[in-house]
Amino acid sequence: MARLGSWIEPFPEGVYVRPADAWVDPSRPKPKALITHGHADHARGGHGEVWATPETLAIMTTRYGEQPGRPAAYGESIGLGDVEVSFIPAGHVLGSAQILLEYRGERVIVSGDYKRRPDPTCPPFVVTPCDIFISEATFGLPVFRHPDTGSEIDRLLHRLRAEPGRCVLVGAYALGKAQRVIMELRGRGYDEPIYIHGALERLCLLYEELGVPLGELRLATGVAKAELADKIILCPPGALNDRWSRRLPDPITAMASGWMRIRQRARQRNVELPLVISDHADWDELTQTIREVAPKEVWITHGREDALMHWCQLHQIKARELNLVGYEDEDD
Ligand SMILES: [Zn+2]
Ligand SMILES: [Zn+2]
């Protein structure tokens, strides 16, 4: 009998599914691509056919223009060659999916990026049994334990109220993190207008169109300094320290990212108020997920593979490291 999963071939540029002649999240243009979610390191432009959830296709269209899209709703099953393909919620960002591949009685899941804690902007991760679970490991070290999201949001609100006259400027990735921070604020009862950098506008509008209500948003550009006092402003991380932020009223600089666990990362970006809010599984979520999915083998992709490999070995789960390239943290 052939080795388990011998029909799945990892290449540096992505995972190739031979009997479907298709690639998962390829980093280079391919004739047929299956895309887990819209972050730029997973979803690139220029493919011949793009199989993804309707939300992911809408995100890709917003970012790259019209796509040769083949929409697949969660739970729908598609035949590609002799492979049955289905998309299962991954709880990472709007439209994000684990991709289940079934071929000759074997079930392989490519997780894409995922998390297990609740996110008001997308449906939660669904545990699905399989033989091989190909997992990300962005925060695959025991030091990474993300705190409760609500308490991070409370720290933000507390700081805003404690320093009248100032504003809080939150650096957040344009896809997923920004909208989640907004929804978490709304969930904590914050119903003031939230100001956004122009670079966040298109994706916020798209989230609203796709049924995620973000409340009143205003563009921060061109607004008088006095109006922005005591307000929350969101911008992409790159704008935190650039010219754009200099005309804000004495901003308290914050950043929402799993990396804010690391003091040095916060210092590098001159972040005064680090908020540990991540769209990736932390160490406990990674190991909990592997336990629950209970695959015969775990293949580990981008991130810190070593510790998770070791954990799998300790728990008698066969593990293998895939050396994919080109996955950066656009989306932590
Ligand atoms: Zn990723
Ligand atoms: Zn991602």
Side-chain angles (χ1 to χ4, degrees):
M1 215 178 94
R3 183 174 51 78
L4 190 64
S6 59
W7 48 285
I8 302 276
E9 297 173 35
F11 287 89
E13 65 208 270
V15 170
Y16 180 58
V17 187
R18 195 175 6 88
D21 190 24
W23 293 78
V24 180
D25 291 354
S27 56
R28 276 194 247 152
K30 298 291 177 189
K32 212 180 284 174
L34 310 170
I35 305 295
T36 59
H37 67 286
H39 279 137
D41 52 336
H42 295 258
R44 314 221 173 202
H47 302 305
E49 285 175 13
V50 180
W51 298 81
T53 63
E55 295 84 359
T56 295
L57 285 173
I59 290 163
M60 290 177 74
T61 301
T62 301
R63 300 187 129 182
Y64 308 126
E66 210 45 59
Q67 293 295 304
R70 306 284 188 277
Y74 289 130
E76 189 185 325
S77 180
I78 297 146
L80 276 187
D82 294 328
V83 182
E84 285 292 307
V85 181
S86 31
F87 291 74
I88 300 165
H92 175 58
V93 297
L94 185 62
S96 66
Q98 316 168 59
I99 297 181
L100 168 64
L101 306 156
E102 296 174 88
Y103 176 67
R104 297 193 176 162
E106 288 182 10
R107 293 160 61 87
V108 175
I109 287 179
V110 184
S111 75
D113 294 338
Y114 65 96
K115 69 175 174 296
R116 301 301 303 276
R117 54 192 74 210
D119 178 338
T121 69
C122 64
F125 182 96
V126 175
V127 171
T128 307
C130 60
D131 300 300
I132 298 175
F133 185 62
I134 304 183
S135 179
E136 63 133 324
T138 303
F139 291 113
L141 282 177
V143 64
F144 290 111
R145 289 197 158 92
H146 307 324
D148 171 66
T149 309
S151 63
E152 295 299 281
I153 296 292
D154 287 345
R155 288 203 300 121
L156 191 171
L157 290 171
H158 177 80
R159 190 68 188 268
L160 178 73
R161 283 159 190 157
E163 301 201 41
R166 299 185 72 183
C167 64
V168 176
L169 176 63
V170 186
Y173 288 94
L175 171 57
K177 188 63 62 63
Q179 297 78 19
R180 180 170 169 219
V181 167
I182 292 168
M183 286 289 278
E184 297 282 0
L185 283 162
R186 299 309 188 199
R188 282 331 235 198
Y190 185 80
D191 50 16
E192 298 282 313
I194 293 173
Y195 291 78
I196 58 171
H197 184 284
L200 304 181
E201 190 184 20
R202 280 184 319 161
L203 284 166
C204 285
L205 284 173
L206 181 67
Y207 264 61
E208 293 237 314
E209 271 170 40
L210 295 173
V212 181
L214 302 174
E216 188 181 349
L217 302 182
R218 291 185 190 166
L219 276 179
T221 310
V223 172
K225 202 169 183 170
E227 187 186 326
L228 296 172
D230 308 317
K231 296 296 193 300
I232 297 171
I233 305 159
L234 265 66
C235 69
L240 275 179
N241 300 305
D242 76 5
R243 284 169 53 95
W244 178 85
S245 65
R246 275 183 227 151
R247 39 168 218 92
L248 303 175
D250 196 10
I252 298 159
T253 304
M255 166 116 178
S257 162
W259 296 114
M260 290 297 103
R261 190 52 134 198
I262 311 289
R263 280 228 177 94
Q264 202 187 344
R265 293 259 191 155
R267 268 202 305 267
Q268 273 166 6
R269 289 190 183 269
N270 295 317
V271 170
E272 208 177 316
L273 178 63
L275 302 170
V276 185
I277 300 176
S278 176
D279 285 328
H280 290 272
D282 67 3
W283 175 255
D284 292 329
E285 291 169 72
L286 289 170
T287 55
Q288 174 202 345
T289 302
I290 293 170
R291 271 205 197 95
E292 291 178 3
V293 171
K296 295 192 181 100
E297 292 184 20
V298 177
W299 297 2
I300 302 166
T301 63
H302 59 310
R304 281 124 208 90
E305 291 94 344
D306 299 356
L308 202 55
M309 287 276 293
H310 184 67
W311 183 91
C312 288
Q313 279 147 14
L314 277 179
H315 291 80
Q316 268 102 55
I317 302 164
K318 210 171 151 190
R320 168 179 176 194
E321 197 170 322
L322 305 187
N323 295 302
L324 307 184
V325 296
Y327 294 103
E328 291 110 30
D329 25 300
E330 183 208 5
D331 58 329
D332 41 25

